[in-house]
Amino acid sequence: MVLETEDIELSNVQLESLLDFIKHKTGMVFAPRLRTWVSKQFAELYKNSSETNFTAFFDSLLADRKRYESQVLFERLTVHETMFYRDKRYFGFLENNLFPDLIAAKETTKSINIWIAAGSSGQEIYSIYFRILDKFPQLKTWNLSLYSTDLSQAIIDKAKNGIYETHEVNRGLGEDGLSKYFKQIDNKSWQVKDEIRRKVNFKRSNLVEDFASHVPDMDFISCRNVLIYFNDTTKADIITRLAKKVRNGGYLILGQVDYINCKEPPQGMKYNMEQTFPYFKKES
């Protein structure tokens, strides 16, 4: 008999062990109100597997002998809700402050590196590149390196393909941007033009693990609305390691929901608050 998800229930001890495993592997910490949801996601994972022994499946996963299933679970637990040009204040800051400052500072080298950490399905990095093409055409001749990473390989694959359905392109993207930077695939989907997709390096990366070799040093790192998943200790560790990847004069921007115990700047950086989101700038 195939068990329904409702028939599978983790004990309190099993759930605590599962939450510890998830925290160790990804850094994600779930509020008490979400623990039942986590348990249901695990039950759904088991139901869709070929295993017939629930306890054996559970024990194997926590012993790290089911890497594929673990990754599927982590992707189930990661929220990838995003949109083009998410937060007009953020993009206004980039256009009016950050990019003019970087362009002036990098005039000699004509090189800017940008990394969107936890970049989800690509809307943020594509939106930034669209804004660069619209407002800073001189950067077309610069050495502009764009990176976007995420924990989920499936989401990275979607970002690389750059295919979005009508309801996705309608979220934040105007008709002008759609016609300039996309090609229509069919009556319900659009794809970012090839020459734009080729400009972005999409990679899978886990912020809890060592990401130093995944990307070079950066002039601008955006890590928005993901640190909320981590406890304060893990959050501080991630911010410190991100800061080490920022070049002198560069920026590290966090999301407004990530603003918890962030006022203490990493060494060599200055804390700032831009309307609703915090950012750090590394001293030149």
Side-chain angles (χ1 to χ4, degrees):
M1 180 182 70
V2 177
L3 292 177
E4 296 296 328
T5 303
E6 290 77 9
D7 297 327
I8 302 168
E9 185 174 352
L10 293 173
S11 68
N12 289 336
V13 172
Q14 286 176 320
L15 181 55
E16 288 299 327
S17 296
L18 178 62
L19 292 169
D20 285 344
F21 173 76
I22 294 167
K23 177 183 174 182
H24 174 69
K25 288 294 184 180
T26 70
M28 290 189 288
V29 177
F30 294 92
R33 62 183 176 80
L34 295 176
R35 293 189 172 197
T36 300
W37 174 72
V38 173
S39 181
K40 288 182 178 179
Q41 294 304 311
F42 180 83
E44 189 70 23
L45 179 75
Y46 171 69
K47 188 183 76 170
N48 291 328
S49 75
S50 59
E51 296 283 347
T52 57
N53 186 309
F54 178 75
T55 301
F57 178 81
F58 178 85
D59 292 343
S60 293
L61 187 105
L62 265 63
D64 208 20
R65 294 195 297 269
K66 291 188 174 295
R67 301 289 181 86
Y68 171 77
E69 289 83 354
S70 296
Q71 184 60 33
V72 172
L73 177 63
F74 300 155
E75 294 188 6
R76 282 178 174 272
L77 297 175
T78 305
V79 178
H80 295 285
E81 180 67 19
T82 188
M83 61 183 290
F84 290 97
Y85 297 106
R86 183 177 181 180
D87 191 346
K88 292 182 179 179
R89 290 164 294 193
Y90 167 71
F91 280 91
F93 176 74
L94 300 188
E95 180 180 337
N96 299 318
N97 301 90
L98 185 144
F99 279 117
D101 182 46
L102 288 181
I103 289 171
K106 308 287 287 186
E107 182 61 40
T108 301
T109 61
K110 288 183 166 52
S111 172
I112 295 178
N113 291 349
I114 300 169
W115 174 25
I116 309 304
S120 190
S121 46
Q123 283 95 324
E124 183 173 354
I125 191 65
Y126 285 134
S127 296
I128 287 174
Y129 191 44
F130 299 159
R131 185 59 55 91
I132 287 172
L133 294 174
D134 286 341
K135 302 296 181 180
F136 306 102
Q138 69 269 40
L139 294 183
K140 293 178 183 179
T141 63
W142 284 37
N143 181 17
L144 188 64
S145 296
L146 307 173
Y147 294 80
S148 183
T149 63
D150 197 86
L151 173 66
S152 168
Q153 185 60 53
I155 288 295
I156 287 295
D157 292 341
K158 175 180 172 63
K160 283 182 180 179
N161 290 333
I163 297 175
Y164 303 94
E165 295 187 1
T166 301
H167 73 275
E168 293 176 298
V169 296
N170 283 341
R171 296 190 66 196
L173 192 69
E175 288 292 331
D176 184 55
L178 190 60
S179 62
K180 282 198 295 186
Y181 301 124
F182 288 77
K183 56 185 179 183
Q184 190 163 7
I185 302 298
D186 51 39
N187 61 0
K188 66 175 184 178
S189 58
W190 300 73
Q191 184 175 35
V192 178
K193 290 182 177 179
D194 295 350
E195 61 270 23
I196 295 175
R197 290 188 291 115
R198 284 195 292 265
K199 284 291 295 183
V200 184
N201 299 284
F202 289 104
K203 298 175 179 288
R204 181 181 176 276
S205 182
N206 186 343
L207 291 175
V208 175
E209 298 171 351
D210 181 19
F211 49 70
S213 62
H214 293 195
V215 293
D217 289 347
M218 294 288 154
D219 300 292
F220 164 37
I221 298 176
S222 169
C223 185
R224 301 196 297 152
N225 307 320
V226 66
L227 297 181
I228 192 173
Y229 290 111
F230 307 130
N231 61 27
D232 288 346
T233 300
T234 304
K235 185 184 304 183
D237 175 65
I238 292 172
I239 292 173
T240 297
R241 289 186 291 116
L242 287 172
K244 291 179 179 178
K245 298 295 293 182
V246 179
R247 291 170 170 169
N248 290 343
Y251 293 79
L252 168 59
I253 296 183
L254 307 178
Q256 61 185 39
V257 297
D258 298 323
Y259 176 62
I260 303 173
N261 297 336
C262 295
K263 287 187 177 181
E264 186 65 33
Q267 186 174 2
M269 302 196 86
K270 182 180 179 181
Y271 166 83
N272 298 273
M273 190 73 184
E274 175 63 28
Q275 298 186 67
T276 58
F277 61 86
Y279 71 92
F280 303 105
K281 184 176 181 183
K282 182 164 284 189
E283 298 169 356
S284 300

